[in-house]
Amino acid sequence: MPKWTLGVFKPSRNHLYALFLCLAGLSLFVGFNHGEFIHYTSPTWVWVYALTGAAVLLTVLVFQLPPQGNGLSLDSSVYLACVFVFGAPFTLSVLLFTSIINFFIERKTVWWKHLSNFALYTMMITAASATFKLLGGVEGPLLSQRLSAYAGSMAVYFVLNTLLIGFYYYMVFQEELFATLKGMVKDTLLAYLSTLVLSLVLTIMLVHNQIVGLALFLFLSVLLSYAFKQMFIMYRELEARANRDPRTGLFNHSYFEVVLEEEMRKSRASGSELSMAMIDIDDFKKYNDHFGHLKGDSLIVFLAELFKKATTDTEIIVSRYGGEEFTLLMPGYDSLTAKQFIEDLRKNLNNSPFEGSEIFPQGCLSFSAGIAAYQPDIHDKSELVDHADQALYYAKKQGKNMVHLYGNQSPLEQDIDFSQDVRDIEQQLNLFMYKDMETFKHSKRVFRYAMDISELLELDTLSKRQFTLGALIHDIGKLEIPWSILNKKDKLEPEEWEMVKWHVTWGKKMALTNEKFKDLAPYIELHHERYDGKGYPYGFKGEEIPRLCRMLTIIDSFDAMTTQRPYQSTKSVKEAIIELRECAGTQFDPGLTELFIQYIESRELLKNDAGVSNVH
């Protein structure tokens, strides 16, 4: 059965739960056993010694099961068989002596963990025994007419074991209880069934073959434990092959995707630093064309070995992303320390001799790298990859053999790029001019609002670029909506409204096809999420929605309210402000709503002052 193994934990929760288990288990032990072993006869003591030895042996022979490597043993089959043949008091005596012996065998384990395990088994044994008697079970030989009693007691033992350990993970690690229980059952069901069936086998052997039967049972159990161990080793070998790039031995793209999501989850939960570097070999195609693919492959392997050596004894996870591209996932590294690490790698490679490196423009091996740091408002792993990819693009653009931090391009370069990006997006929006002129005008107005708000929020240059361009392109997905629905004068039918809601998903896919605009995808996809979690497409709530996406929702809604639309009435600025305030806390972020209202009111005041001046 699953062993009580503890990793990193929150001490208060961990100790409270262990204390509860110990108190409950010890109370049940005293209530069921009453120190009966004091009155045992010599033959009874022989059975106690024999069964204690069997339980200790099976406890020592712990094995792991794929995929998570949960530690299991077959000792529960001994305890269940004891319940069926000798009853709960005898079984608890065997458990007590087994626990004492295990305490001395596993001295490195903290004492209260031993006590918790003892309490856990006590609770399962007493519950199984009570169920066995309740369903009409009789201690002694296996009775075929009482199979329901055996099945019921084994089921209770299994369910209680799963619930107690599953609730531990829920309490300590704050994992989802149902998902944890489902995962435990899925991963360990085979071992559970083996244990339960073996308990019935041992029951028959103890009654009919006694010590010889117990010896045969142990031999069978040892073979079964060995088989499970071999199966786990085989699984790990297959898993390693599936997760590794066969040429370099580094982790492959698929594994990188999985571990990136996991590391982002850890960083989000703990607030720890996380950076990612994307590396591309400079002028690799030139080398490949000149020397052939075999030499090109040897260059990739050479670089992989360099990365392995540099990341030994670190928590950095190196993967071959594809072709001549590599990723380094760096838990615990902020952007500056990550940049320094990659800079050292780059210089090391520059100074590494390699056959044919003289044909490179720089006369040595080199790579370009882009680095992006994880931020709490990054809601999808693809965003972090896109940020690193964009930084790599800038490193290539600046002459290669460089390491670039995401968002650290020069102000002049940022202005030039921003102007070009605006022109590129407007070119795509021009398609609305024949299909839906109102959407084209709306996008331009929202863009101008976003420009003003970005100054009010004092955004850095990179955030300003993303926010304003995201505002400009946020409705691009409406190009996929039929003309008849976009320009319908009457109220939309439910199925038509469902089609309109798809524009956020279509727009995201359109943005992801352009390398330059991948980082704008959240503004397109999330501008119809609501602060109370009742928006679409995901139903994100509160801080789950990136801050600037929450602001874009306010701007988008305000412009929609104050502009003539085919399926809703137009509001004045004052009426729109009233509605914004009424919806603050439900549809809109309250703080950002008030900030936007202050901006609108000050703008209206300036307009009025300008009007009075013109009259005079």
Side-chain angles (χ1 to χ4, degrees):
M1 289 308 215
K3 307 303 294 177
W4 190 256
T5 54
L6 306 175
V8 179
F9 60 88
K10 297 183 178 179
S12 58
R13 286 175 174 267
N14 184 71
H15 290 124
L16 281 174
Y17 189 62
L19 179 63
F20 161 75
L21 277 180
C22 292
L23 291 175
L26 291 174
S27 299
L28 287 171
F29 182 84
V30 172
F32 273 77
N33 187 270
H34 303 299
E36 289 192 12
F37 52 83
I38 298 173
H39 308 292
Y40 287 163
T41 61
S42 296
T44 306
W45 273 115
V46 170
W47 277 116
V48 170
Y49 295 147
L51 291 165
T52 297
V56 169
L57 177 62
L58 294 180
T59 303
V60 171
L61 293 175
V62 176
F63 53 89
Q64 282 74 45
L65 286 178
Q68 302 299 329
N70 295 309
L72 286 102
S73 65
L74 298 175
D75 57 332
S76 287
S77 57
V78 174
Y79 299 133
L80 281 169
C82 287
V83 168
F84 299 149
V85 177
F86 300 105
F90 178 90
T91 308
L92 291 176
S93 298
V94 172
L95 173 65
L96 175 64
F97 295 122
T98 301
S99 299
I100 293 171
I101 294 171
N102 284 333
F103 176 79
F104 289 102
I105 293 175
E106 300 174 8
R107 293 181 186 177
K108 292 182 180 179
T109 304
V110 183
W111 66 269
W112 60 265
K113 294 182 184 179
H114 283 290
L115 190 58
S116 298
N117 260 325
F118 173 78
L120 181 72
Y121 275 102
T122 298
M123 293 168 73
M124 294 187 299
I125 288 168
T126 52
S129 177
T131 304
F132 183 64
K133 290 185 176 180
L134 185 66
L135 296 176
V138 180
E139 294 161 8
L142 184 71
L143 303 174
S144 56
Q145 64 269 31
R146 305 280 185 179
L147 287 180
S148 59
Y150 298 102
S153 60
M154 290 189 295
V156 167
Y157 190 94
F158 160 63
V159 170
L160 192 58
N161 179 273
T162 304
L163 285 175
L164 288 172
I165 295 182
F167 193 70
Y168 162 76
Y169 284 106
Y170 169 72
M171 286 285 291
V172 177
F173 296 104
Q174 295 185 344
E175 295 182 356
E176 187 181 340
L177 183 58
F178 177 75
T180 301
L181 295 176
K182 183 180 177 182
M184 285 182 62
V185 173
K186 179 181 177 183
D187 296 342
T188 61
L189 185 59
L190 178 61
Y192 274 126
L193 290 175
S194 300
T195 302
L196 300 178
V197 170
L198 282 173
S199 67
L200 296 180
V201 172
L202 180 57
T203 300
I204 296 170
M205 287 183 149
L206 286 177
V207 173
H208 295 286
N209 304 98
Q210 300 191 13
I211 296 297
V212 174
L214 178 60
L216 290 173
F217 168 81
L218 284 176
F219 181 72
L220 176 65
S221 299
V222 169
L223 289 179
L224 193 58
S225 296
Y226 178 77
F228 275 125
K229 282 185 178 181
Q230 292 303 112
M231 181 178 72
F232 184 71
I233 292 170
M234 191 184 309
Y235 176 86
R236 281 289 185 249
E237 289 175 351
L238 290 173
E239 185 181 50
R241 290 179 189 175
N243 292 336
R244 297 279 179 178
D245 172 56
R247 187 165 301 284
T248 62
L250 299 176
F251 290 115
N252 57 25
H253 188 126
S254 299
Y255 182 79
F256 163 76
E257 294 280 345
V258 173
V259 77
L260 173 60
E261 196 160 14
E262 177 63 20
E263 290 299 332
M264 284 176 60
R265 185 189 66 78
K266 288 180 183 177
S267 182
R268 189 182 302 116
S270 65
S272 58
E273 299 285 355
L274 175 65
S275 293
M276 175 193 159
M278 185 168 280
I279 292 175
D280 183 87
I281 303 174
D282 292 331
D283 300 295
F284 178 75
K285 186 176 186 303
K286 182 175 182 179
Y287 187 89
N288 226 14
D289 292 344
H290 191 277
F291 292 104
H293 291 289
L294 288 178
K295 291 295 293 182
D297 288 344
S298 66
L299 173 56
I300 290 173
V301 171
F302 178 80
L303 197 63
E305 292 301 320
L306 183 78
F307 292 156
K308 287 179 190 176
K309 186 176 179 181
T311 56
T312 302
D313 299 325
T314 72
E315 294 185 6
I316 296 174
I317 302 160
V318 188
S319 307
R320 185 181 180 191
Y321 194 73
E324 68 274 21
E325 282 190 329
F326 301 85
T327 57
L328 276 72
L329 197 57
M330 310 170 78
Y333 286 71
D334 61 23
S335 57
L336 293 179
T337 54
K339 184 181 181 184
Q340 186 58 54
F341 183 88
I342 302 299
E343 280 284 11
D344 293 341
L345 263 180
R346 182 186 64 80
K347 293 172 184 175
N348 189 7
L349 181 64
N350 290 164
N351 296 323
S352 299
F354 191 80
E355 183 183 353
S357 58
E358 65 277 357
I359 75 160
F360 290 112
Q362 315 221 28
C364 64
L365 294 180
S366 69
F367 64 67
S368 298
I371 296 174
Y374 170 75
Q375 302 295 333
D377 61 351
I378 293 179
H379 76 286
D380 189 81
K381 63 185 178 183
S382 62
E383 285 185 69
L384 189 60
V385 175
D386 291 341
H387 290 179
D389 194 35
Q390 287 179 47
L392 173 60
Y393 167 79
Y394 278 109
K396 292 281 189 183
K397 189 176 177 182
Q398 292 170 25
K400 303 178 182 177
N401 196 23
M402 296 191 71
V403 180
H404 184 79
L405 280 179
Y406 177 68
N408 272 25
Q409 60 267 40
S410 68
L412 177 60
E413 189 175 32
Q414 288 173 342
D415 289 341
I416 293 170
D417 289 341
F418 180 73
S419 299
Q420 183 58 51
D421 290 342
V422 170
R423 286 193 293 271
D424 290 346
I425 292 175
E426 285 181 333
Q427 203 167 15
Q428 295 188 50
L429 292 178
N430 284 338
L431 295 172
F432 278 119
M433 295 181 74
Y434 85 91
K435 190 170 187 178
D436 180 22
M437 181 60 75
E438 284 307 315
T439 298
F440 176 81
K441 292 178 180 179
H442 167 70
S443 298
K444 296 283 283 184
R445 287 191 301 269
V446 171
F447 170 69
R448 287 193 290 270
Y449 281 129
M451 290 288 286
D452 290 346
I453 293 297
S454 64
E455 297 296 332
L456 192 63
L457 292 173
E458 297 180 347
L459 299 179
D460 60 75
T461 307
L462 178 62
S463 298
K464 178 180 178 180
R465 173 196 174 271
Q466 292 177 338
F467 180 47
T468 53
L469 293 181
L472 185 61
I473 202 176
H474 76 282
D475 269 341
I476 191 71
K478 287 187 177 179
L479 285 171
E480 297 294 316
I481 300 174
W483 185 92
S484 59
I485 295 177
L486 275 178
N487 294 276
K488 187 175 181 179
K489 304 300 180 184
D490 302 324
K491 187 177 180 180
L492 295 177
E493 297 296 329
E495 62 273 14
E496 293 173 329
W497 177 238
E498 286 301 315
M499 179 173 284
V500 169
K501 287 165 68 174
W502 270 95
H503 78 279
V504 297
T505 304
W506 294 330
K508 176 192 174 184
K509 290 180 179 179
M510 293 166 75
L512 292 178
T513 61
N514 191 323
E515 288 292 328
K516 288 169 55 177
F517 302 134
K518 281 184 175 182
D519 58 337
L520 306 182
Y523 298 93
I524 300 169
E525 189 178 28
L526 304 179
H527 72 275
H528 281 293
E529 294 288 358
R530 288 171 51 111
Y531 195 72
D532 59 6
K534 296 180 180 178
Y536 64 89
Y538 299 114
F540 287 160
K541 183 178 182 181
E543 300 294 323
E544 292 177 343
I545 311 165
R547 179 169 176 256
L548 294 179
C549 292
R550 301 199 300 270
M551 178 55 87
L552 178 57
T553 301
I554 298 167
I555 297 173
D556 180 50
S557 299
F558 176 81
D559 187 73
M561 285 188 276
T562 54
T563 305
Q564 183 66 44
R565 307 286 269 198
Y567 41 82
Q568 69 177 40
S569 59
T570 306
K571 288 181 170 59
S572 67
V573 170
K574 287 184 178 180
E575 290 172 334
I577 288 174
I578 291 170
E579 182 156 337
L580 286 178
R581 283 205 169 105
E582 287 177 349
C583 296
T586 53
Q587 185 175 355
F588 308 122
D589 181 308
L592 294 178
T593 300
E594 199 54 43
L595 187 145
F596 180 74
I597 289 172
Q598 290 172 13
Y599 154 73
I600 291 295
E601 288 177 339
S602 63
R603 194 188 70 157
E604 289 299 301
L605 187 61
L606 287 173
K607 275 185 183 180
N608 294 335
D609 289 346
V612 171
S613 298
N614 290 335
V615 170
H616 290 295

